[in-house]
Amino acid sequence: MAAADSFYITTPIFYVNDVPHIGHAYTEVAADVLARWHRQRGDDTWLLTGTDEHGQKILRTAVANDTTPQAWADRLVESAWLPLLETIDIRNDDFIRTTEPRHETAVATFLQKLYDDGHIYSGEYEGYYCVGCEEYKQLDDLLETEDGDYAGQLVCKIHGRPVELLKEKNYFFRMSAFEQKLLDLYENTPGFVQPASVRNEIIQFVKQGLADLSISRSSFDWGIKVPWDDSHVVYVWFDALLNYITAIGYGVGASDKPDEQFQRRWPAVHIVGKDIARFHAVIWPAMLMAAGLEVPKAVFGHGWLLVGGEKMSKSKLTGIAPSQITDTFGSDAFRYYFLSAIAFGQDGSFSWEDLSARYQAELANGFGNLASRVVAMVTRYFDGAVPSVDIDPKIATLEKRVTDEANTAIGSFAINEALAVIWQLVDALNLYITENEPWALAKDPAAKARLEHVLASAVHGLGTLAVLLSPVLPKAAARLWEALGGQGELDAQPIDRAWAWTGAGQVTPLETSLFPRIEQDVTV
């Protein structure tokens, strides 16, 4: 059993059939912010991300590009997926690839255990298969098109492409045996699947009855060999889901003595797109139950990013590369925009106009201008020495309330709500400066004590903001922390006591604004 203060969080592992778009980056950033927050709260935190490199889709993509699946995966990981983490400032603790020996060996160990324990049997299966989803589909998951290139064909509702009718002799996982156990899990642990909309969908799906799951393929060979029958490879989802435990040492030690890292980390919180919540909230816990392992702490299925009213898609040319945004606005603005503009758990629409407007209003004019003005006034009126006086009780009370409420919101995955609460402090400090007019107080020698009080209060509020915003705006918050003379490393400050930070008493002018104004046209 993992320690009570363990916080192990994962992203999905992403297919390497193409380069990442902002939908992938959105998931990465959300998980990263949650991980950074928990680290600063003192939790034993571990963030895992990685790539899924087996399956028919990868094989076909590689063949279409006149290369091998392994060479294709190696190239995409090095040229696109690892650079993505740097582009959007992800501080992951591990990166798992399903072609790594540590993963492949542990998958075979897990599968053999289920086979030995009677959870796997051989049989024949015929059904509609979507290569894009790497999944057999029910008729409810399909549409019959009436026009266009695929007129008269059954297409996947998610990918909009025709499915294939496959008939294979496969190995099956007795998933149907876990139907009631899963329903009991959802009822007894309401927070296991979040948000409520995804939870309700999962419950209804399981109540309709679970079929056994085909977990091997014999029509192609790009995958992990089934340990007792090397004419079959493991179904890509059965393989991929196991990354969450293979990355932390499952299968490394003796069966009666689990790896120390596994004991320390598991169970995890999974952040996934809602379209793959079913795999994580149905198949995955059933697999773990069969193996006698704990189920995850939680599965959170966030919404889709929509462009032009549709889910982002490379095939529909709506995929936007993260660098298209970060090259102009920077990684901090990317992180802030997607986590503040979209209610985490719901679908959200992206537009260049909204991004630009929020950047100017909230980051440049709101937070950035506040920081520049306060530091400049302390420098001008007190040679950079922060007055050693008590801060305004109203500001102090607000700092503590904002800290507490933001911390509570993060605990329930409500990242956008946490940011909205934190921005109450940004807005309050801007109003505080406007109402108290330090520039006017500075002209009146009799008002010096008042000036000291106002600017000391503003500086303290800014320090609290630096701590609270460091998981979301790591670059800007670090610059502000340094300018304020904060003591110690910023990411070592207890975020659940952000209001209790201490400074060195001397500010250093910001050479440039935290968020420079962007004049160029970014709407095309």
Side-chain angles (χ1 to χ4, degrees):
M1 179 70 181
D5 61 352
S6 172
F7 185 73
Y8 173 33
I9 184 169
T10 73
T11 72
I13 53 172
F14 299 106
Y15 276 128
V16 292
N17 63 306
D18 209 339
V19 296
H21 55 58
I22 58 174
H24 303 109
Y26 174 52
T27 311
E28 291 277 7
V29 167
D32 182 65
V33 167
L34 292 169
R36 286 175 183 261
W37 192 287
H38 279 267
R39 283 194 200 103
Q40 280 191 241
R41 206 165 71 178
D43 295 333
D44 183 15
T45 301
W46 196 258
L47 171 59
L48 174 70
T49 189
T51 46
D52 183 0
E53 302 176 13
H54 290 134
Q56 196 170 13
K57 183 161 58 174
I58 306 300
L59 175 62
R60 290 185 179 181
T61 302
V63 170
N65 286 273
D66 196 27
T67 188
T68 66
Q70 188 65 66
W72 176 261
D74 290 344
R75 189 176 80 187
L76 263 290
V77 168
E78 291 300 321
S79 67
W81 289 97
L82 287 175
L84 168 68
L85 305 181
E86 185 175 348
T87 297
I88 53 176
D89 215 357
I90 302 300
R91 187 182 163 191
N92 55 302
D93 296 286
D94 196 2
F95 188 94
I96 182 77
R97 298 180 59 183
T98 56
T99 52
E100 292 181 69
R102 62 168 171 163
H103 176 74
E104 293 188 341
T105 301
V107 168
T109 299
F110 184 94
L111 200 64
Q112 187 68 56
K113 175 175 174 51
L114 263 58
Y115 183 72
D116 292 344
D117 291 347
H119 295 294
I120 293 174
Y121 64 93
S122 64
E124 204 167 71
Y125 190 84
E126 182 176 14
Y128 294 107
Y129 192 76
C130 173
V131 175
C133 293
E134 294 279 13
E135 180 189 15
Y136 279 107
K137 294 291 184 179
Q138 303 299 314
L139 285 175
D140 289 347
D141 300 321
L142 306 175
L143 292 171
E144 184 170 353
T145 54
E146 297 179 357
D147 49 33
D149 295 339
Y150 308 130
Q153 298 184 59
L154 289 173
V155 301
C156 170
K157 287 182 179 179
I158 294 176
H159 287 91
R161 292 182 176 275
V163 291
E164 301 175 12
L165 183 62
L166 297 182
K167 184 176 182 179
E168 284 187 310
K169 178 185 176 183
N170 293 332
Y171 288 98
F172 289 79
F173 167 52
R174 298 183 192 276
M175 192 164 69
S176 59
F178 296 92
E179 181 179 320
Q180 190 56 51
K181 287 184 178 180
L182 287 169
L183 291 172
D184 291 344
L185 169 65
Y186 308 145
E187 182 175 352
N188 298 332
T189 312
F192 175 71
V193 184
Q194 299 182 48
S197 57
V198 176
R199 177 176 181 269
N200 292 338
E201 183 181 313
I202 294 296
I203 290 174
Q204 289 308 309
F205 173 77
V206 176
K207 281 184 174 180
Q208 290 172 10
L210 287 184
D212 290 343
L213 179 69
S214 169
I215 62 163
S216 74
R217 300 288 181 268
S218 58
S219 55
F220 61 92
D221 62 358
W222 179 238
I224 299 173
K225 300 290 186 184
V226 170
W228 61 88
D229 184 350
D230 63 8
S231 67
H232 287 247
V233 294
V234 180
Y235 169 45
V236 65
W237 269 104
F238 208 88
D239 158 8
L241 288 164
L242 286 163
N243 90 89
Y244 304 125
I245 61 174
T246 65
I248 54 170
Y250 171 83
V252 172
S255 59
D256 61 341
K257 188 179 181 182
D259 183 77
E260 180 182 344
Q261 177 84 332
F262 178 75
Q263 287 187 308
R264 175 182 176 182
R265 302 290 176 200
W266 189 255
V269 168
H270 300 311
I271 304 297
V272 301
K274 66 179 182 181
D275 51 331
I276 59 171
R278 190 183 297 178
F279 296 96
H280 290 79
V282 180
I283 298 175
W284 180 222
M287 290 166 60
L288 292 164
M289 289 173 180
L293 300 174
E294 286 186 81
V295 298
K297 284 182 181 176
V299 174
F300 190 98
H302 67 70
W304 290 340
L305 287 189
L306 307 177
V307 176
E310 292 188 348
K311 184 192 176 189
M312 196 167 312
S313 166
K314 287 287 183 183
S315 62
K316 295 181 179 179
L317 302 181
T318 54
I320 299 168
S323 59
Q324 290 178 256
I325 294 174
T326 59
D327 285 351
T328 298
F329 294 95
S331 60
D332 276 1
F334 182 103
R335 296 164 65 92
Y336 173 79
Y337 172 73
F338 285 106
L339 295 182
S340 63
I342 299 169
F344 195 53
Q346 298 179 20
D347 294 348
S349 294
F350 167 79
S351 76
W352 289 102
E353 293 82 1
D354 188 42
L355 168 61
S356 183
R358 286 177 178 270
Y359 177 91
Q360 300 294 357
E362 297 165 25
L363 294 178
N365 296 338
F367 179 47
N369 190 45
L370 170 68
S372 295
R373 293 170 75 198
V374 170
V375 171
M377 285 188 286
V378 174
T379 301
R380 180 177 180 182
Y381 303 139
F382 298 106
D383 293 324
V386 181
S388 182
V389 297
D390 291 337
I391 66 171
D392 192 315
K394 290 183 179 179
I395 297 298
T397 299
L398 180 60
E399 287 180 61
K400 189 172 188 311
R401 178 180 66 77
V402 164
T403 298
D404 292 344
E405 291 184 7
N407 194 48
T408 298
I410 289 292
S412 58
F413 304 103
I415 305 174
N416 58 296
E417 292 180 16
L419 279 169
V421 168
I422 294 168
W423 233 252
Q424 291 178 16
L425 181 55
V426 174
D427 293 340
L429 289 174
N430 273 313
L431 181 61
Y432 187 69
I433 294 297
T434 299
E435 290 179 342
N436 285 281
E437 300 182 321
W439 50 90
L441 296 175
K443 296 176 182 178
D444 182 3
K448 183 180 179 181
R450 179 63 185 162
L451 177 63
E452 291 177 341
H453 185 67
V454 169
L455 288 182
S457 300
V459 166
H460 199 273
L462 276 177
T464 296
L465 285 173
V467 177
L468 289 173
L469 288 171
S470 59
V472 182
L473 310 173
K475 287 185 170 64
R479 283 188 61 204
L480 177 58
W481 183 253
E482 184 178 1
L484 297 177
Q487 295 179 356
E489 294 295 324
L490 176 58
D491 59 9
Q493 305 306 308
I495 202 164
D496 52 346
R497 290 177 54 82
W499 46 269
W501 77 281
T502 56
Q506 186 78 24
V507 301
T508 305
L510 289 160
E511 294 183 4
T512 58
S513 174
L514 297 179
F515 295 96
R517 286 180 174 79
I518 295 171
E519 306 298 339
Q520 67 192 89
D521 182 8
V522 295
T523 63
V524 295

